[in-house]
Amino acid sequence: MIKNSRLYNIENGRADFPASTEQTGSFNLFLDDSMFFYLSMDLPSSNRKKARGFISNYLSTLFPEYMTENFGFVLHGGSALIYLPAQEFASFVKENLSLLKKASKITTPFIEMFVREASFDYTDGSKCYSVSGGEIHQLFDEPDDACTAERILNKVIPPKMSINIKGVEKESFIPSSFKLPAIVLAACYLVFIGGEYLRLKGYASALKLRENKLQELYTLAGVNGTGDPYGTLLFKARGGKETTQGVSILTVFETMSKAADKNKIKLEDLTVRDTTINCTGTAADFQAVEEFKQKLQEAGAQRANIEDTDKQGEIIKFSVRFSL
């Protein structure tokens, strides 16, 4: 804690002076409340950018611009605690910049009490405030039971808040000598991720193409829309028997897919016996049945024969047998 230009080390509710300015481990820094002037305003829930605009407009009605250009605020419970740095604060920051940059959190005892207690009186030694329901009022007479920084140390450690101070940026955890390699490594990582994304996107496109082809086969076989189209297809291809002997079912459907014109041929049933396949379906006309037989032979079918045809209204029911 910094108070009266002295740095105190606070531990177990006690402040020991002096503390080392060469802090090496993680630490939180409490600033003296006398370096700030506090006030409040009711503020509905909003993001920080909008809140800053509301507060800036509010302060412009109370103070000259030079007094509010470095204001900060804390949002809590529908209220905004606004802090205005004193004139000497800029020189304080300049003198203690190294220490401020190293701090994990920077706050003050009053700010920490504000986010913890609904009502309390507080004095920083020169000014006295009364807080009630998120509203801050300045008192000209100091109550006997007013809180002080020393009396509330146990209540406000560890801190909940961290204020922003103009000109103070936290030191990077990456040493300066490693920043360029880190940037190069990050760029390489992004290139790698981009490449993996494009590669996986290509796989997804290929998979989608194969899924569409499989759906065409299911539709051609008349099993699309069933609970298990592949199982139904396999069962029908085996003639309703659970056997693994005979021609590959995938070869059968690949051959039929190449031969059948989906605009002219609709297959209804398929039976596979060893290497002999018998399929039935409907066609637009007799010529379509003949073309189906010819294309089966071109696709690799052997001994393709039209077993039966029957004209029923506008369609031709047919049966074709072939071997693979």
Side-chain angles (χ1 to χ4, degrees), residues 182-197:
I183 293 173
V184 173
L185 182 61
C188 292
Y189 178 75
L190 291 176
V191 171
F192 172 75
I193 292 297
E196 286 297 295
Y197 169 76

Side-chain angles (χ1 to χ4, degrees), residues 117-130:
E117 302 290 338
S119 300
F120 64 95
D121 296 328
Y122 182 85
T123 178
D124 61 16
S126 60
K127 299 181 295 297
C128 188
Y129 303 95
S130 178

Side-chain angles (χ1 to χ4, degrees), residues 166-183:
K166 186 177 181 180
V168 178
E169 297 178 355
K170 296 293 185 294
E171 290 188 345
S172 173
F173 67 92
I174 302 177
S176 58
S177 59
F178 291 103
K179 285 185 178 180
L180 182 58
I183 293 173

Side-chain angles (χ1 to χ4, degrees), residues 89-278:
F89 188 68
S91 59
F92 164 81
V93 171
K94 185 177 181 180
E95 293 171 2
N96 297 277
L97 187 59
S98 176
L99 184 67
L100 292 168
K101 285 185 175 182
K102 292 178 181 178
S104 299
K105 289 184 177 181
I106 301 175
T107 186
T108 75
F110 179 79
I111 290 175
E112 293 301 317
M113 280 292 288
F114 183 84
V115 298
R116 285 173 167 81
E117 302 290 338
S119 300
F120 64 95
D121 296 328
Y122 182 85
T123 178
D124 61 16
S126 60
K127 299 181 295 297
C128 188
Y129 303 95
S130 178
V131 176
S132 179
E135 294 185 0
I136 301 174
H137 301 281
Q138 189 168 8
L139 301 178
F140 295 99
D141 296 322
E142 182 180 315
D144 294 335
D145 59 348
C147 298
T148 63
E150 292 76 12
R151 289 172 56 186
I152 62 174
L153 288 178
N154 286 330
K155 291 185 177 181
V156 299
I157 297 177
K160 292 183 177 181
M161 310 303 297
S162 184
I163 64 176
N164 295 319
I165 299 175
K166 186 177 181 180
V168 178
E169 297 178 355
K170 296 293 185 294
E171 290 188 345
S172 173
F173 67 92
I174 302 177
S176 58
S177 59
F178 291 103
K179 285 185 178 180
L180 182 58
I183 293 173
V184 173
L185 182 61
C188 292
Y189 178 75
L190 291 176
V191 171
F192 172 75
I193 292 297
E196 286 297 295
Y197 169 76
L198 293 176
R199 185 171 66 87
L200 293 176
K201 187 176 181 181
Y203 287 155
S205 299
L207 178 61
K208 186 65 177 178
L209 182 64
R210 285 161 175 75
E211 287 178 347
N212 292 338
K213 190 66 177 177
L214 185 60
Q215 289 301 320
E216 290 181 8
L217 289 174
Y218 287 157
T219 302
L220 182 64
V223 298
N224 195 22
T226 61
D228 180 14
Y230 177 76
T232 305
L233 183 63
L234 192 60
F235 185 76
K236 290 176 67 175
R238 290 171 176 170
K241 297 180 180 180
E242 294 295 335
T243 174
T244 59
Q245 297 179 353
V247 69
S248 168
I249 188 62
L250 295 180
T251 303
V252 173
F253 280 102
E254 182 180 4
T255 303
M256 295 177 64
S257 176
K258 292 178 180 179
D261 185 336
K262 63 181 180 180
N263 295 320
K264 298 180 180 180
I265 297 292
K266 181 178 180 181
L267 297 177
E268 295 180 343
D269 195 18
L270 177 70
T271 303
V272 179
R273 302 282 185 183
D274 295 327
T275 60
T276 301
I277 300 96
N278 187 74

Side-chain angles (χ1 to χ4, degrees), residues 24-84:
T24 56
S26 176
F27 66 95
N28 301 312
L29 187 61
F30 285 83
L31 302 183
D32 190 346
D33 285 300
S34 64
M35 291 189 288
F36 300 94
F37 176 75
Y38 298 110
L39 66 159
S40 65
M41 67 174 290
D42 292 332
L43 193 65
S45 178
S46 62
N47 59 45
R48 289 193 63 83
K49 185 176 181 180
K50 289 183 178 179
R52 176 167 287 276
F54 291 144
I55 295 172
S56 180
N57 291 336
Y58 172 65
L59 293 177
S60 66
T61 65
L62 302 176
F63 305 100
E65 183 178 354
Y66 75 90
M67 292 182 62
T68 64
E69 58 184 3
N70 293 323
F71 79 89
F73 62 94
V74 171
L75 300 177
H76 178 70
S79 299
L81 181 156
I82 307 166
Y83 52 91
L84 303 176

